């Protein structure tokens, strides 16, 4: 146990060596840590003591060649020293398991050191029978061993004091015996003063040891507390991370069910827009469609950040024509720019880069959406430029800019500036956070510069330039009538199936809807299937079955809200176009138009060859 407040070896620090009752108790007391320290030093110390005894015995034998007592003294001292050395060795090899056992070792040590002290003191009387030089050498040897006893035994005060006060006072008496005159008395007084000084030194060294022990134990206790706190914090952090990942995994896996009703609303609204409605009804349909798109955008942001959290996004780099991509993004945002009174201009460019086209397009779209929302009425410029050995895409607006207090946090998740204009704007504060995450995923840099009242510049840099690639015109940009295109439509959700069938029929398609796998050939020109069909069979299986019935690779597309990496990998390996719910009707129409154009080209080619 740590020493208590009252466990002192003498007076308070800074006071003289006054001895009180508590001090006497401290001198007589021996805790196990004191004995551990004592015996750890004792083995080597007593071996050194044997060397000192042997050298001193040599001097005594040469000074008293006729006497036997020097040899007897030497043998007694060596036996006592060996006993103490072996006592320390036994203690260290088999440490006592409990306090009483350790105390018996301490009592044995004190008893043996008392005998050593007495033997040293009696030897002084033998040396005093010779000349003063012999007594002087003996005094030096005893004084050195007394100092050594303080350095090695101060941790056990009773052994230290017994060793000092059984040997040094007898040495003083030996000097008085050698010279009973004034000089002998002075030397005796000096020897006793030496013993007192060594005693004070021993007490101060013990106090230092006790203070060091208290400090060590306090630090150990504090370290244990900090270690426990660190473990608790790590546990809490791990729980928080796991909870966040569980949330993200839930959103990623639930994305299909979350997107399904929004997808159906968008399809029904598209069908209603094609009907000749009154002005008020058309306005209501437009409001419903805008609300569905708004919910779709918010949900898309949440699902995108969740997919990034769980590692559900894997870049698939390929050559990308920046000019074509930026023009496509501008066309998609033309209506929003007009609604916000913004002037949107794309700087023409012939640059190509190697990047994932979908992820890069999403980054630019988020930057542009940010400018359109927060800089109404501004001029917005989007372009690409060379920056050293790489290429950068910039979105620059002449809007109100970003306040300094908000600028440091614009890439933080869910952060929105506390301004009326921002609060009145739809959003979750995830757009720029998604851009930053995607930039890290594709080893790109994203940065911003802004000045209040002078606009904002957002930049994606680090894109690797590549040579242009000759590629066929994207299907999504071809235009061809869909009248008469026979479509096999598969979806297990009745509302989505009905809405999709109604929309395709209004485009002129001949639709055969199914909520499960068809049972035979249909004579279809295209297949549109949901991925999840409510059983063990999925959309890829359904497409494979229809193609087997038809006897040829019917053009097909998968529509789904699933975002798991394994599902996306399966779709990529199958080479089947994938539209993510909620699908904008224009995307679906463009894809089916591409199928119809391909079919027309195939028929034309066969006619020419015939």
């Amino acid at each position: 146990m740590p020493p208590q407040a009252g466990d002192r070896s003498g007076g308070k620090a800074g006071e003289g060596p006054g001895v009180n009752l508590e001090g006497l108790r401290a001198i007589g007391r021996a805790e196990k840590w004191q004995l551990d320290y004592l015996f750890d030093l004792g083995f080597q110390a007593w071996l050194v003591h044997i060397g000192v005894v042997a050298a001193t015995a040599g001097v005594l034998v040469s000074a008293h060649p006729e006497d036997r007592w020097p040899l007897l003294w030497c043998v007694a001292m060596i036996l006592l020293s060996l006993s103490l050395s072996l006592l320390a060795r036994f203690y260290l090899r088999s440490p006592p398991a409990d306090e009483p056992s350790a105390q018996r070792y301490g009592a044995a040590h004190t008893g043996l050191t008392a005998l050593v002290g007495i033997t040293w003191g009696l030897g002084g009387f033998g040396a005093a029978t010779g000349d003063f030089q012999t007594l002087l050498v003996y005094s030096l040897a005893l004084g050195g061993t007394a100092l050594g006893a303080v350095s090695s035994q101060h941790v056990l005060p009773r052994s230290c004091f017994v060793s000092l006060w059984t040997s040094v006072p007898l040495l003083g008496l030996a000097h008085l015996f050698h010279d009973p005159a004034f000089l002998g008395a002075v030397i005796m007084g000096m020897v006793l003063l030496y013993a007192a000084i060594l005693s004070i030194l021993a007490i101060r060294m013990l106090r230092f040891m006790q203070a060091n022990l208290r400090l060590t134990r306090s630090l150990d206790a504090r370290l244990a507390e900090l270690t426990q706190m660190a473990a608790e914090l790590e546990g809490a952090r791990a729980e928080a991370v796991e909870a966040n990942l569980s949330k993200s995994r839930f959103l990623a896996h639930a994305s299909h069910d979350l997107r399904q009703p929004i997808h159906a609303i968008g399809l029904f609204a598209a069908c209603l827009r094609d009907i000749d409605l009154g002005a008020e009804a058309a306005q209501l349909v437009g409001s419903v469609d805008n609300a569905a798109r708004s919910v779709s955008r918010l949900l898309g942001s949440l699902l995108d950040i969740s997919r990034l959290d769980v590692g559900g996004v894997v870049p698939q780099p390929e050559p990308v024509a920046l000019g074509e991509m930026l023009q496509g993004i501008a066309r998609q945002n033309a209506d929003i720019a007009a609604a916000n009174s913004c002037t949107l201009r794309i700087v023409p460019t012939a640059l190509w880069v190697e990047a994932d086209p979908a992820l890069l397009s999403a980054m630019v779209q988020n930057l542009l959406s940010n400018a359109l929302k927060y800089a109404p009425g501004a001029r917005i410029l989007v372009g690409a430029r060379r920056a050293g050995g790489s290429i950068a895409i910039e979105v620059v607006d002449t809007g109100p800019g970003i306040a300094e207090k908000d600028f440091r946090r614009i890439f933080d998740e869910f952060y929105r500036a506390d301004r009326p204009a921002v609060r009145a704007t739809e959003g979750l504060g995830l757009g720029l956070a998604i851009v930053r995450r995607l930039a890290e995923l594709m080893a790109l840099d994203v940065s911003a510069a802004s000045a209040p009242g002078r606009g904002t510049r957002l930049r994606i840099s680090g894109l690797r330039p590549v040579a242009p690639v000759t590629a066929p015109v994207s299907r999504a940009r071809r235009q061809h009538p869909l009248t008469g295109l026979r479509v096999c439509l598969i979806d297990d959700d009745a509302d989505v199936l009905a809405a999709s069938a109604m929309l395709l029929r209004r485009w002129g398609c001949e639709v055969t809807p199914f909520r499960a796998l068809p049972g035979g050939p249909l004579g279809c020109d295209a297949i549109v299937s949901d991925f999840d069909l409510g059983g063990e069979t999925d959309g890829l299986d359904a497409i494979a079955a229809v193609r087997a019935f038809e006897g040829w690779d019917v053009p097909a597309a998968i529509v789904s809200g699933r975002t798991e990496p394994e599902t996306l990998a399966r779709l990529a390996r199958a080479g089947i176009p994938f539209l993510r719910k909620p699908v904008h009707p224009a995307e679906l129409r463009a894809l089916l138009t591409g199928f119809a154009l391909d079919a027309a080209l195939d028929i034309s080619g066969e006619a020419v060859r015939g």
Side-chain angles (χ1 to χ4, degrees), residues 80 82 85 87 134 142 152 202 220 286 300 321 341-343 426 462 478 495 515 517 532 537 548:
L80 290 171
L82 286 174
S85 182
L87 182 68
T134 302
L142 195 157
S152 63
D220 288 343
S341 303
C342 292
T343 302
E426 168 202 291
R478 299 177 184 171
D495 290 336
R515 293 187 63 185
L517 193 66
D532 295 286
T537 301

Side-chain angles (χ1 to χ4, degrees), residues 9 44 130 153 165 189 207 226 232 266-267 297 318 336 346 376 381 449 451:
S9 299
Q44 295 84 356
Q153 298 176 19
W165 293 98
R207 288 177 180 172
L226 292 175
E232 292 174 355
L267 295 177
R297 284 192 294 269
E318 61 181 66
I336 301 175
I346 304 297
L381 182 68

Side-chain angles (χ1 to χ4, degrees), residues 328-417:
I329 293 173
R331 284 193 294 272
Q332 295 172 21
N333 290 273
D335 292 343
I336 301 175
N340 290 351
S341 303
C342 292
T343 302
L344 175 59
R345 187 167 76 87
I346 304 297
V347 179
T349 178
L351 293 172
W352 284 65
V353 297
E354 184 175 56
D356 185 305
L359 300 185
L360 183 59
S361 178
M363 293 175 70
V364 178
Q365 173 63 50
N366 279 331
L367 296 184
L368 181 56
S369 296
N370 195 76
L372 290 170
K373 283 194 296 185
Y374 301 121
R379 296 189 304 276
I380 300 174
L381 182 68
V382 182
R385 63 170 61 185
R386 293 187 179 274
S390 62
I391 292 175
I393 299 174
E394 294 184 349
V395 177
V396 184
D397 68 68
T398 59
I402 304 171
E404 184 177 354
K405 67 183 181 66
D406 299 318
F407 186 77
R408 294 187 298 271
R409 301 189 59 189
I410 60 173
F411 291 103
D412 292 351
E413 296 172 8
F414 301 105
Y415 180 76
R416 306 187 75 203

Side-chain angles (χ1 to χ4, degrees), residues 127-174:
T129 60
D131 54 24
F132 181 75
Q133 287 79 1
T134 302
L135 181 58
L136 179 61
V137 171
Y138 189 89
S139 299
L140 292 174
L142 195 157
T145 56
L147 182 60
V150 171
S151 64
S152 63
Q153 298 176 19
H154 65 274
V155 73
L156 188 61
R158 67 179 186 226
S159 290
C160 183
F161 292 156
V162 164
S163 177
L164 288 175
W165 293 98
T166 56
S167 59
V168 177
L170 290 178
L171 178 64
L173 290 174

Side-chain angles (χ1 to χ4, degrees), residues 311-333:
V313 179
V314 180
Q316 302 291 333
E318 61 181 66
V320 179
L322 288 183
E324 183 179 348
M325 184 193 76
L326 296 179
Q327 290 294 344
I329 293 173
R331 284 193 294 272
Q332 295 172 21
N333 290 273

